[in-house]
Each structure stands twice: as structure tokens, then as C-alpha cells.
């Protein structure tokens, strides 16, 4: 019993000692950790009796200090970036407020979500000021805008831009607009950005100019007719008419005809209308005809005609409705074909034709509320409507010009705004050797060639480059082109870079591409992987073009050797692997793929070098000189020149 009592007493004593010297200090340390973690209590952890815990309190204090420092750094970073974003926001707001066109962002229901000061000044009226969440149609006529918006929603290609002409509700002001969908903004896929430019005075000036020149040509034609009459009378009365008078009159007649043709071209080009895909026109006409209970068959060439799409669709829908009301045809056909640099629009039907007086009456009618008459639309487009009878039916036709043949358009149109306001405060240096690495602009490039020996006739087949500004790869600022080398591309070379003779048949020549690249790389540091190879193809064209590639040059082979040592492999594949840069087989050995990979490698290598205290271009050049045996130092040439 004594032994049992003693054992229990020993266990109780040990538990008491463990609780006092281990458990309670651990709980105290845990409480102190929670206080410093969640309540932002500062100071080291000093728990009485914690000396039995060994280095745990000191380690906890160190962890808390690191956490506090990380919090402080994070707070400083967030504060700095927030200040920068606020400053950028302020600058962008100032720029947008001063942009000449009125800029508006509208919801899919056509309510205002953003407008700049120009829009406020342009659209406000004494009765209705411009306000957020108000309908756009409080300030503008809805027809052309709804039509443009519908065209965007139905477009087959993303990022399509539609141009149109609209007016204010009174019809006294005309505005030229551009509309583009703003993307999926929190579920509103129909939201759009629109710019507007008041062209009322511009159109009035065009009208006054046209009226003046019309009067000039009419007077000149009458004077010319009088001269011809007098000349003919002189010739008939005397046989001593001045030699060559008839030839001079004929030459004057030809000159007048040429001037009138040029004047007509100026009249059309001056009108602020956009080129519209004629297939879009016919799709809209089919929809409007269907709304009237009429069928419309379509046949059109792939053309773009300068016109106000909303007005033209309204005009032909109006004519179709009137023809159906007069004679009852329900089936129509619309054809748009190219004839003599014009797009001829023909609306036909089977059945009885119409009289000229009926057509003139229809053209004098207003097409929609507060809108223009059909005749005014025709005058605005410098055209008329003609009547014709065809086999078993009749047709109405008009002509639009100028026109263009449609060409394929790139699908991925850029939707970016490129800016770096830090450039406003960036330091400029008299000597590049003193410049900080992040204060320089770089052009990182790569080439693909017919072979490895430029001195034996090998040439470029592809070149691509990207730009780095303020330590950031600038999206959209790139140079990429195939090159016609002027000689066959060996199959062995095509097997590597996949560029074939057929691909470069219509590509620009070597001299043109080298000259364009020289301009693209102006005032920048050139960066390449194994730069001597790429530069050799550029240097050999300097004399022919009268230019010099005297840019400072950095080679990522050099930089890799400085960072990882000369004993490592410094191929682009090896470097990309060490720096975890994605470089797929599809991108490898394409000029743009290799240029982008080299740019990412350069940015990571630069960060490592700056972490080692190599922050200026001169310091980096001194380091590269130690690795000259890897590749030649091309900056020696720039220094000598």
C-alpha cells in the first residue's frame, strides 16, 4: 500500500510538474501566437516558465516577426499598387474625358453605364441632362442604333465593329458612330461601347461645297457649249479658222469630263458613311420583309458598299410594302451585283409593274417617325431609283458607290489598351552603361533561315520580335513576317522550321523586311539567343540599305552562363527547362514561338542578375566579357562604332 501510495504521489507530482512547466507554457505560447496572428499584437513572446520548452518560444517569436514583416511588406505593396492604380485610373479618366469623340458604354437594354464629358456636352439638352441608367434613346433616334446593335449580335465574327450614322430626336443633328460589343459584362452579353462624332457642320460644309462646284460645272458647260457654237460658226463662214482650234476644244471637253468624274468621287468619299457588307444588308432586308409578311429571295456578290445600312434597308422595305399593297405580290427577290465599280441593288417581283407617278409618290413619303423621306435618303447616297420591266415581272434598282471586294478578316482582333504611365517618370541616361536594366527598352527577336551560312548565300525565311518596356512584355507590340529569300528553301531546313517555298511566294523580300525590322527596333536593346547567328543575316544587308544595326545587344546564352555557369548546357530548350518556361513542339523553331520563349527567359535571367546586384547595363556587360569564349561579344562592334 505504501508503495502504491508512493507511486500515485510520484505520478501526481510528475503530472503537476508537466502541467506547470510544459502544458501551461505551451498554452501561453499558443495564446501569444493567436494574439499576434489575429489581434496584431506586437513584440516578442516572453512567457514565464517557458525556458523548459527550449527554443520553441524563440522560434515562435521569429515566425511571428516574419509574419509581421510579411504583413508589413504586403501592406506596403498593396498600398503602393493601389496608389499606382488610382493614379492610372485618374490619368485614364482624364484622357477619356478629353477624347474628341463622345464615348458611351451602354447595357444590352440601351441604358447608359458610362459617358465622358464630350458625350455629356454633345447629348445634353436643357430639358434632359445626360444621366447614368437613362435610356440612350432619350438623346438619340433609336432606328440606326438598334439596327447596328442587331448587326453586332448576329455577326459571325467576334469583335466586329459597326459604323453607322444617326441623328438626335429632332433630326437637326447628324452623328457618325462606331459600335462594338463590350463582351460578357456580368452576364450582359449585349452591352456595347459606342463613339459618336457630330458631323452636322461637316455635312453642311460638304453640301455648300457640292452646290458651289455644281454651279461652277454648270456655268463651265454652258460657256463651253457657247464656244463650240461660235467655233462651228467661224469654221462654216471662213476657211481661215485657227489651226488646231477643234483639237483644243476637244481637249478642253475631255478635261471637263475628267474634273467632273473626280468631283463625283470626292462627293461620295466625303460622305461620313461606312463600308457595309452587302450580305448584312440582305439579311436585314429579309428580316424586315418577313415582319411585313413578305418573302425575299437573296442573291449577292461578296461586296462592301459605302452606305447608311439602316436607311437603305428601310428604303427597300418601304418600296416592297408599297408594291405589295398596290398589286399584291408576296414573293420578292433582291440581287446585289458589281457593275462598273458600283453595287447595283435590284428589287424584283413577278406580276404587274408600277407607274412612275406611283414611285414618285412613294419616294416623297417619310419612312418612319421623325425620319427622312425616301427621296432624301437617295439624295444622301447620290443615287436614284430606276424602273424596269423584266420577263413576267418588274424591278426597282439603285446604285451604291464606292465599293470594295471583301477580303478575309482576322478573327482575333485585339481588344487592348496599351499604356505604362511609369514612363512619364522614368529616368533618362546620357550613357547606356549607367542605365538600370529595368529602365531600358528591349526588342527580343528570332529568325528562321534557309541554312546556317549567311556568307554563302543563306537567307531569312521568317523573323519575329516582341518588345519589353519597363520590365514588362508588352502584349500586341510585336513584329512577325515570313520572308521571300529569293532562293529555294532546302527540304532539310523546312523540316526544322516548317516554312516552305509555297508559304513565302507572296511574302516581302529580304531587304524590305530587314529595313522594317530596323525601324521596329529603333532605340532599343536587341536580345536574342545565340545573337551572332541572327545578327549576321542583318549585318550583311546594312550597306545595301544604308543603315546600321548599332544597337546594344544582349545574348541569353551569355546571361545563362553568368547565372548557371559555363559547365551547363545553354540551348534554348535547356534554358526553358531550367526556368520552367513553356515551349511546345508546335512553337519551337517558329520565329515568334522562339522569340517569346527567349523574352520570358530574358526576364527571369534579368531578375536573377538584379538579385545578385547586377542592376546596370554596364555591370552586365562586364560580366558578359568573362564568357566571350561561348559566343562573340557583339557589343564590341557597337562600342567601336
Amino acid at each position: 500500500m505504501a508503495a502504491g501510495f508512493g507511486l500515485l504521489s510520484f505520478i501526481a507530482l510528475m503530472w503537476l510538474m508537466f502541467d506547470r512547466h510544459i502544458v501551461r507554457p505551451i498554452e501561453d505560447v499558443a495564446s501569444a501566437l493567436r494574439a499576434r496572428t489575429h489581434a496584431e499584437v506586437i513584440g516578442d513572446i516572453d512567457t514565464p516558465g517557458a525556458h523548459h520548452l527550449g527554443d520553441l518560444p524563440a522560434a515562435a517569436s521569429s515566425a511571428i516577426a516574419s509574419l509581421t514583416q510579411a504583413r508589413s511588406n504586403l501592406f506596403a505593396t498593396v498600398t503602393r499598387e493601389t496608389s499606382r492604380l488610382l493614379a492610372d485610373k485618374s490619368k485614364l479618366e482624364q484622357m477619356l474625358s478629353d477624347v474628341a469623340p463622345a464615348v458611351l458604354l451602354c447595357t444590352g437594354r440601351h441604358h447608359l453605364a458610362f459617358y465622358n464629358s464630350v458625350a455629356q456636352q454633345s447629348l445634353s439638352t436643357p430639358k434632359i441632362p445626360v444621366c447614368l441608367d437613362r435610356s440612350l434613346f432619350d438623346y438619340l433616334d433609336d432606328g440606326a442604333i438598334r439596327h447596328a446593335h442587331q448587326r453586332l449580335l448576329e455577326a459571325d465574327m467576334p469583335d466586329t465593329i459597326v459604323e453607322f450614322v444617326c441623328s438626335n430626336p429632332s433630326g437637326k443633328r447628324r452623328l457618325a458612330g462606331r459600335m462594338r460589343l463590350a463582351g460578357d459584362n456580368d452576364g450582359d452579353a449585349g452591352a456595347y461601347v459606342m463613339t459618336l462624332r457630330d458631323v452636322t457642320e461637316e455635312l453642311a460644309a460638304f453640301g455648300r461645297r457640292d452646290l458651289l462646284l455644281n454651279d461652277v460645272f454648270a456655268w463651265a458647260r454652258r460657256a463651253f457649249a457657247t464656244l463650240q457654237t461660235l467655233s462651228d460658226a467661224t469654221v462654216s463662214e471662213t476657211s481661215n479658222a485657227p489651226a488646231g482650234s477643234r483639237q483644243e476644244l476637244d481637249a478642253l471637253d475631255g478635261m471637263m469630263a475628267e474634273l467632273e468624274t473626280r468631283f463625283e468621287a470626292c462627293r461620295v468619299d466625303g460622305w461620313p458613311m461606312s463600308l457595309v457588307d452587302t450580305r448584312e444588308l440582305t439579311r436585314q432586308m429579309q428580316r424586315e420583309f418577313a415582319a411585313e409578311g413578305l418573302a425575299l429571295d437573296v442573291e449577292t456578290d461578296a461586296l462592301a458598299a459605302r452606305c447608311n445600312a439602316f436607311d437603305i434597308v428601310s428604303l427597300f422595305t418601304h418600296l416592297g410594302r408599297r408594291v405589295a399593297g398596290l398589286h399584291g405580290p408576296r414573293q420578292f427577290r433582291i440581287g446585289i451585283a458589281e457593275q462598273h465599280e458600283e453595287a447595283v441593288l435590284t428589287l424584283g417581283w413577278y406580276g404587274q409593274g408600277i407607274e412612275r407617278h406611283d414611285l414618285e409618290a412613294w419616294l416623297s413619303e417619310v419612312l418612319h417617325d421623325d425620319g427622312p423621306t425616301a427621296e432624301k435618303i437617295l439624295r444622301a447616297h447620290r443615287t436614284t431609283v430606276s424602273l424596269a420591266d423584266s420577263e413576267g415581272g418588274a424591278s426597282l434598282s439603285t446604285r451604291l458607290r464606292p465599293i470594295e471586294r471583301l477580303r478575309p478578316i482576322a478573327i482575333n482582333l485585339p481588344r487592348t489598351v496599351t499604356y505604362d504611365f511609369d514612363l512619364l517618370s522614368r529616368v533618362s541616361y546620357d550613357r547606356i552603361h549607367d542605365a538600370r536594366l529595368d529602365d531600358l527598352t528591349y526588342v527580343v527577336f528570332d529568325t528562321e533561315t534557309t541554312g546556317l551560312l549567311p556568307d554563302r548565300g543563306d537567307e531569312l525565311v521568317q523573323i519575329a520580335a516582341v518588345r519589353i518596356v519597363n520590365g514588362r512584355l508588352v502584349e500586341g507590340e510585336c513584329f512577325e513576317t515570313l520572308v521571300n529569300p529569293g532562293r529555294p528553301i532546302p527540304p532539310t531546313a523546312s523540316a526544322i522550321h516548317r516554312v516552305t517555298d509555297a508559304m513565302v511566294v507572296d511574302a516581302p523580300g529580304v531587304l524590305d523586311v530587314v529595313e522594317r525590322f530596323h525601324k521596329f527596333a529603333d532605340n532599343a536593346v536587341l536580345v536574342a539567343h545565340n545573337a551572332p547567328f541572327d545578327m549576321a543575316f542583318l549585318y550583311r544587308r546594312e550597306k545595301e540599305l544604308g543603315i546600321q544595326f548599332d544597337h546594344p545587344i544582349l545574348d541569353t546564352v551569355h546571361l545563362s552562363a553568368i547565372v548557371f555557369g559555363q559547365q551547363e548546357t545553354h540551348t534554348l530548350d535547356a534554358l526553358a527547362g531550367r526556368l520552367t518556361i513553356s515551349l511546345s513542339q508546335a512553337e519551337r523553331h517558329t520565329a515568334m514561338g522562339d522569340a517569346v520563349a527567349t523574352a520570358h527567359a530574358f526576364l527571369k535571367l534579368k531578375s536573377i542578375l538584379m538579385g545578385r546586384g547586377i542592376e546596370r547595363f554596364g555591370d552586365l556587360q562586364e560580366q558578359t566579357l568573362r564568357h566571350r569564349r561561348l559566343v562573340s561579344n557583339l557589343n564590341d562592334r557597337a562600342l567601336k562604332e
Side-chain angles (χ1 to χ4, degrees):
M1 290 177 64
F5 180 76
L7 180 61
L8 288 173
S9 299
F10 177 75
I11 292 173
L13 178 64
M14 291 300 296
W15 177 256
L16 179 64
M17 295 293 291
F18 182 78
D19 181 66
R20 177 180 299 174
H21 298 293
I22 303 295
V23 176
R24 290 183 182 177
I26 287 177
E27 290 179 348
D28 291 342
V29 170
S31 298
L33 281 171
R34 290 190 183 95
R36 284 156 178 77
T37 301
H38 301 294
E40 298 184 1
V41 175
I42 59 174
D44 293 337
I45 297 176
D46 185 14
T47 304
H51 57 278
H52 293 286
L53 299 179
D55 196 38
L56 179 60
S61 295
S62 177
I64 290 297
S66 298
L67 176 61
T68 302
Q69 184 62 41
R71 278 177 170 171
S72 177
N73 292 340
L74 178 60
F75 179 77
T77 300
V78 170
T79 301
R80 184 176 64 253
E81 290 301 310
T82 301
S83 299
R84 185 180 66 81
L85 289 173
L86 288 174
D88 288 356
K89 177 176 177 288
S90 177
K91 290 187 179 72
L92 286 171
E93 287 176 348
Q94 183 178 3
M95 292 169 60
L96 278 173
S97 67
D98 294 334
V99 168
V103 181
L104 304 103
L105 172 64
C106 300
T107 68
R109 298 183 300 112
H110 306 287
H111 281 220
L112 293 177
F114 167 89
Y115 58 87
N116 66 348
S117 59
V118 179
Q120 187 177 33
Q121 296 166 10
S122 300
L123 302 182
S124 290
T125 66
K127 294 183 179 180
I128 310 178
V130 175
C131 300
L132 291 177
D133 202 32
R134 289 199 65 138
S135 172
L136 178 63
F137 305 134
D138 289 341
Y139 316 101
L140 297 171
D141 187 52
D142 67 328
I145 294 174
R146 290 187 187 276
H147 182 262
H149 188 236
Q150 188 66 34
R151 288 168 59 195
L152 284 176
L153 294 176
E154 295 180 353
D156 294 332
M157 293 188 301
D159 298 330
T160 301
I161 296 174
V162 170
E163 296 182 347
F164 58 93
V165 178
C166 63
S167 61
N168 66 341
S170 67
K172 295 180 180 179
R173 295 171 55 207
R174 300 281 281 175
L175 300 103
R178 288 166 57 89
M179 185 185 294
R180 183 179 193 176
L181 291 179
D184 190 358
N185 289 273
D186 296 327
D188 191 353
Y192 57 92
V193 177
M194 182 170 65
T195 61
L196 294 170
R197 183 172 62 89
D198 193 331
V199 294
T200 307
E201 292 301 323
E202 186 179 338
L203 294 179
F206 285 146
R208 291 191 297 269
R209 181 203 64 183
D210 291 351
L211 183 60
L212 173 63
L213 290 177
N214 271 329
D215 290 344
V216 168
F217 280 114
W219 178 87
R221 276 297 179 192
R222 287 196 299 270
F224 179 73
T226 301
L227 285 176
Q228 279 189 318
T229 302
L230 292 175
S231 175
D232 293 341
T234 302
V235 170
S236 62
E237 292 176 3
T238 178
S239 59
N240 298 321
S245 60
R246 170 55 64 180
Q247 290 81 357
E248 291 177 3
L249 286 173
D250 290 342
L252 181 59
D253 185 34
M255 184 188 304
M256 288 290 297
E258 181 185 354
L259 289 174
E260 287 176 332
T261 302
R262 290 166 60 184
F263 169 56
E264 287 299 321
C266 290
R267 290 176 65 185
V268 175
D269 290 338
W271 183 253
M273 296 182 185
S274 61
L275 286 167
V276 178
D277 188 340
T278 54
R279 293 169 295 187
E280 286 188 20
L281 278 179
T282 54
R283 281 197 294 268
Q284 293 295 327
M285 288 181 193
Q286 279 184 311
R287 184 180 300 106
E288 296 299 326
F289 269 64
E292 299 288 340
L294 306 175
L296 182 66
D297 296 330
V298 171
E299 182 178 350
T300 178
D301 293 343
L303 300 173
R306 189 179 296 279
C307 67
N308 185 327
F310 174 71
D311 283 349
I312 292 297
V313 171
S314 299
L315 170 65
F316 274 82
T317 304
H318 169 71
L319 294 176
R321 182 169 55 246
R322 288 290 180 261
V323 170
L326 183 64
H327 295 306
R330 314 302 295 176
Q331 182 74 35
F332 290 83
R333 60 187 182 279
I334 184 76
I336 305 181
E338 178 183 0
Q339 290 184 13
H340 309 298
E341 302 299 323
E342 295 178 326
V344 180
L345 284 70
T346 303
L347 177 67
W349 65 92
Y350 293 106
Q352 188 177 350
I354 62 174
E355 300 295 334
R356 168 58 64 176
H357 62 83
D358 291 327
L359 176 60
E360 291 175 353
W362 298 341
L363 294 180
S364 64
E365 295 175 348
V366 175
L367 301 192
H368 46 83
D369 293 341
D370 299 323
T373 63
E375 191 174 22
K376 188 173 181 180
I377 290 175
L378 292 172
R379 283 202 306 270
H381 289 79
R382 318 292 197 237
T383 189
T384 59
V385 172
S386 58
L387 281 169
D389 293 325
S390 58
E391 185 177 351
S395 65
L396 298 168
S397 63
T398 190
R399 297 173 179 267
L400 298 177
R401 56 188 173 89
I403 61 171
E404 290 183 7
R405 275 280 174 183
L406 291 179
R407 297 179 295 274
I409 301 175
I411 293 177
N412 297 320
L413 298 178
R415 189 195 288 266
T416 59
V417 176
T418 304
Y419 68 94
D420 190 338
F421 293 130
D422 291 338
L423 291 173
L424 299 174
S425 57
R426 191 171 77 172
V427 179
S428 59
Y429 299 89
D430 295 330
R431 298 176 67 249
I432 191 174
H433 287 67
D434 300 329
R436 293 181 66 255
L437 293 177
D438 274 345
D439 288 338
L440 295 171
T441 297
Y442 304 90
V443 169
V444 187
F445 76 104
D446 184 73
T447 63
E448 301 299 335
T449 64
T450 60
L452 306 178
L453 302 171
D455 55 334
R456 298 187 183 179
D458 281 322
E459 289 288 1
L460 299 173
V461 298
Q462 190 179 37
I463 183 170
V466 294
R467 284 170 56 86
I468 295 174
V469 180
N470 263 2
R472 180 173 64 93
L473 186 62
V474 184
E475 182 181 357
E477 292 188 3
C478 57
F479 180 96
E480 182 180 18
T481 181
L482 292 169
V483 186
N484 189 330
R487 53 158 292 178
I489 303 175
T492 52
S494 295
I496 297 173
H497 49 56
R498 300 181 292 281
V499 178
T500 64
D501 289 326
M503 294 169 62
V504 300
V505 169
D506 298 322
V510 174
L511 291 177
D512 178 43
V513 170
V514 171
E515 185 175 26
R516 285 165 48 201
F517 177 73
H518 183 266
K519 292 178 181 177
F520 179 80
D522 191 31
N523 294 323
V525 177
L526 291 176
V527 181
H529 193 80
N530 191 17
F533 173 78
D534 299 290
M535 293 304 302
F537 289 90
L538 305 179
Y539 286 147
R540 65 193 298 260
R541 296 299 184 179
E542 289 179 322
K543 188 174 181 180
E544 293 176 84
L545 293 170
I547 60 176
Q548 279 191 312
F549 283 93
D550 52 3
H551 309 66
I553 298 170
L554 292 176
D555 193 323
T556 47
V557 174
H558 278 152
L559 306 187
S560 178
I562 296 170
V563 172
F564 299 111
Q566 293 195 19
Q567 72 280 359
E568 294 290 344
T569 303
H570 301 293
T571 63
L572 184 57
D573 292 304
L575 185 58
R578 279 196 292 271
L579 296 174
T580 63
I581 296 170
S582 175
L583 183 59
S584 67
Q585 288 300 314
E587 298 170 323
R588 186 70 174 102
H589 290 300
T590 65
M592 182 54 75
D594 287 356
V596 171
T598 302
H600 287 301
F602 171 71
L603 288 172
K604 292 193 174 188
L605 291 170
K606 178 175 64 64
S607 297
I608 297 171
L609 291 167
M610 293 179 70
R612 289 170 50 174
I614 304 173
E615 295 188 349
R616 300 191 179 275
F617 187 81
D619 300 333
L620 182 57
Q621 190 175 38
E622 289 178 7
Q623 291 293 322
T624 60
L625 291 175
R626 301 178 183 179
H627 303 276
R628 295 181 64 170
R629 69 183 185 83
L630 279 178
V631 289
S632 63
N633 187 3
L634 294 170
N635 289 308
D636 289 346
R637 168 183 167 131
L639 289 172
K640 291 176 183 177
E641 295 173 346

